[in-house]
Amino acid sequence: MKDKKMKYSVSYTNHDRRRFIKVTAATAASSLIPASIALRAGNASAAEPVKVGILHSLTGTIAIAEAHVVDAEKLAIDEINRSGGVLGRQILPVVEDGASDNPTFAEKAQKLLVSDKVSVVFGCYTGASRKAVVPVFERYNGLLYYPTYDIGLELSKNLMYTGQEATQSIVQAVDWLAKNGKKTFYLVGSDYIWPRTTNRIAQTIIPKLGGRVVGEDYFPLGAVEFSSVINKIQATKPDVIVSTVVGGSNVAFYKQLNSVGITGKTQPIMAMAVTEEEAIGIGTENLTGVMTCMGYFQSIPTDRNRAFVAAFKAKYGADRVVGDTLETAYTSVYLWKKAVEKAGSFDVPKVVAASSNLELDAPEGLVRIHATNHHLWKHARIGTFKPDGQVDIIYESPLLEPNPFPKL
C-alpha cells in the first residue's frame, strides 16, 4: 500500500527572493566584466551571500515529524542575518525536499553540494536518510549538521551530530524505568536502522538491570495497522511499552492503542520518537500520560528557552509548538555560525577543526561539541505528555558526555 503523501509548504521569504535575484544578477553581470576590472573588484565578493542547504522531508510519511524542522532552521538564519550575518555575509538558504525517500536524499545532497555549492547543509531526519547521504558528503567534502536523536555507532569527518545518541536516550530511558520498578518490557518499532539498533541496545541492557523483554515487533514506515502487536501486548501485559515507531505511523499506533483502553493513564508507555510538534498531528488526547525521553522540551523553564519559544511563535504563529528536533536544528545553525567565526573561514576542514570543544548556550541548556567524536554533550530529560500536548518534566540528567561507540 502506497503511503499517502502529506505536503507541507516551505518557501523563501520575499527578502530571500530579492536577495537571491540580486546575487543572480550580479553573478550574470560579472561574466561581462573585463578580467582586469574583476580582479580589482575581488574584495567585493566577501559581501555576497553565503549559500546553505536545508534538506528535509517536506512530503511523505516522515513529513509529519520532519517538515517543521525547516522552520526552526530558517528562524535561526533570519536571526543571524538580522544581526549582521556570518563573517559579514548574509545567509541564503536553498531548500530541498528529501520526500521521505533515501535515494532522493542522496540525489538532493549531491545537487546542493555540486550544483548549488552550499557551504553547509542542515538536514535529514531518519538514520536511514543520513546513511544514504554520508557517502555524498564524504565524496564532495561537504558538511552536514544532523539534528535527530540517533543510535551513535558512526563517526564521519563530514558530519556533526547534534541530537542525543543512544547513551543519552534509550540507555537513560531504560535505566530510569528500571529504577522506577519496571521489570518487563515490550519493544515496538518502525522497521529500519534506528529502531532496530536502539532496541538491540535495549535488549543488551535490560537484563543487566534485572528486567526482561517479553516481546519485540517491527512495522514498515507508514504502516497503519497495529492490531497484531496490540493483541500481543494485551496478552503479555508488560510493565512498560517502549515505542520507536516513527513518523505518520504514530497517528494510527496511538489511536489504536487508545481504542482498546491502552493509554498513558492505564499502561506505562515510553515514546522514544514523539515530540510536542508531532503530538498535535497524533492528537494530544491520544498521548496524555505517555512518557517521552528527549534532550529538549518546550517546557524547560529558562530565560534562554522562553526567548526561543517566543521568537518561534512570533514568526510562525501563537499556536505553533516546538520539540526536540526543532530545537537541535535551530541550535545546529548557531553552532555552525560560531565555528565559522572561530575558524575565520567557511572552509569545511577549518570549520570542523574549530568545532572541537565548542560550547553554546542553547535553548536546551549548555551544549558542547565533543573534542573528537562530533556529537554533543547534552542533558537527557524524561517527561509525560499533558492534555495540551506539552510535557511535564519529571527527570533531568547531568550534562552527559556523548559515547557513540559504547561498550554495553
Side-chain angles (χ1 to χ4, degrees):
M1 179 178 177
K2 279 191 173 179
D3 297 326
K4 184 177 179 182
K5 289 191 173 182
M6 302 176 65
K7 292 186 176 291
Y8 293 78
S9 175
V10 178
S11 58
Y12 293 113
T13 63
N14 289 334
H15 180 58
D16 288 332
R17 289 194 188 96
R18 289 195 297 272
R19 189 163 67 242
F20 180 74
I21 291 168
K22 287 168 67 178
V23 173
T24 304
T27 303
S30 68
S31 64
L32 304 176
I33 299 175
S36 59
I37 297 176
L39 286 172
R40 288 197 300 272
N43 291 334
S45 64
E48 292 177 0
V50 56
K51 289 194 288 185
V52 306
I54 292 178
L55 177 58
H56 291 292
S57 293
L58 311 180
T59 55
T61 188
I62 303 300
I64 186 176
E66 187 173 3
H68 300 311
V69 176
V70 176
D71 293 338
E73 289 159 344
K74 292 181 73 176
L75 171 63
I77 289 169
D78 287 349
E79 289 176 348
I80 292 167
N81 282 341
R82 286 197 300 271
S83 67
V86 183
L87 297 184
R89 297 171 66 175
Q90 294 285 286
I91 304 171
L92 179 65
V94 181
V95 181
E96 292 290 348
D97 180 11
S100 304
D101 178 69
N102 300 329
T104 300
F105 267 97
E107 175 190 333
K108 294 301 180 69
Q110 181 167 327
K111 173 190 175 292
L112 287 168
L113 295 175
V114 177
S115 301
D116 298 310
K117 301 187 185 305
V118 299
S119 293
V120 65
V121 176
F122 305 100
C124 299
Y125 186 89
T126 68
S129 65
R130 186 193 74 244
K131 291 287 188 184
V133 304
V134 168
V136 179
F137 280 88
E138 291 182 341
R139 178 180 179 184
Y140 296 104
N141 197 29
L143 180 58
L144 172 68
Y145 281 74
Y146 176 68
T148 315
Y149 37 86
D150 72 281
I151 55 174
L153 307 179
E154 179 182 289
L155 173 59
S156 169
K157 65 182 178 63
N158 297 92
L159 267 72
M160 292 293 170
Y161 310 82
T162 59
Q164 59 268 38
E165 44 78 28
T167 68
Q168 300 164 323
S169 56
I170 188 63
V171 173
Q172 291 287 311
V174 169
D175 182 70
W176 184 87
L177 289 167
K179 287 177 179 176
N180 284 272
K182 305 301 181 282
K183 298 294 185 182
T184 56
F185 294 70
Y186 203 112
L187 310 179
V188 185
S190 296
D191 194 4
Y192 73 97
I193 186 171
W194 177 73
R196 282 191 174 273
T197 308
T198 295
N199 287 337
R200 190 163 71 243
I201 293 169
Q203 285 269 19
T204 300
I205 62 176
I206 286 170
K208 295 179 181 179
L209 296 169
R212 62 190 176 94
V213 176
V214 296
E216 184 173 3
D217 282 281
Y218 296 92
F219 296 83
L221 282 169
V224 295
E225 178 52 59
F226 293 92
S227 59
S228 61
V229 72
I230 290 173
N231 289 337
K232 293 177 185 178
I233 289 168
Q234 289 176 310
T236 55
K237 296 180 172 57
D239 289 341
V240 62
I241 302 166
V242 178
S243 172
T244 49
V245 176
V246 172
S249 293
N250 274 316
V251 179
F253 181 58
Y254 288 100
K255 282 185 176 179
Q256 288 169 32
L257 284 173
N258 273 248
S259 72
V260 299
I262 300 176
T263 72
K265 295 179 179 179
T266 63
Q267 163 72 63
I269 304 170
M270 177 65 76
M272 300 301 299
V274 177
T275 64
E276 295 94 326
E277 72 271 16
E278 291 157 274
I280 303 300
I282 293 168
T284 58
E285 69 279 5
N286 296 313
L287 289 172
T288 303
V290 170
M291 295 175 285
T292 178
C293 179
M294 295 285 166
Y296 170 85
F297 295 122
Q298 182 178 309
S299 53
I300 292 173
T302 62
D303 291 342
R304 177 69 185 92
N305 182 51
R306 292 188 189 99
F308 164 61
V309 173
F312 189 88
K313 288 178 176 289
K315 183 173 176 63
Y316 296 112
D319 60 335
R320 290 291 302 275
V321 298
V322 293
D324 183 86
T325 311
L326 267 74
E327 189 272 345
T328 54
Y330 173 89
T331 296
S332 295
V333 181
Y334 276 98
L335 284 169
W336 170 75
K337 172 185 182 288
K338 195 167 184 179
V340 166
E341 291 175 340
K342 181 180 175 183
S345 171
F346 295 101
D347 182 66
V348 168
K350 293 179 181 178
V351 173
V352 170
S355 297
S356 180
N357 287 317
L358 196 69
E359 291 187 349
L360 183 73
D361 180 21
E364 66 185 86
L366 176 70
V367 296
R368 179 189 310 126
I369 299 178
H370 193 272
T372 58
N373 68 34
H374 291 199
H375 288 71
L376 294 190
W377 290 70
K378 297 171 73 75
H379 294 280
R381 295 178 173 94
I382 294 172
T384 55
F385 280 104
K386 299 189 292 186
D388 64 357
Q390 286 300 298
V391 174
D392 181 20
I393 301 172
I394 57 178
Y395 169 76
E396 178 178 302
S397 77
L399 195 64
L400 299 171
E401 180 177 5
N403 182 12
F405 297 96
K407 295 179 180 179
L408 300 172

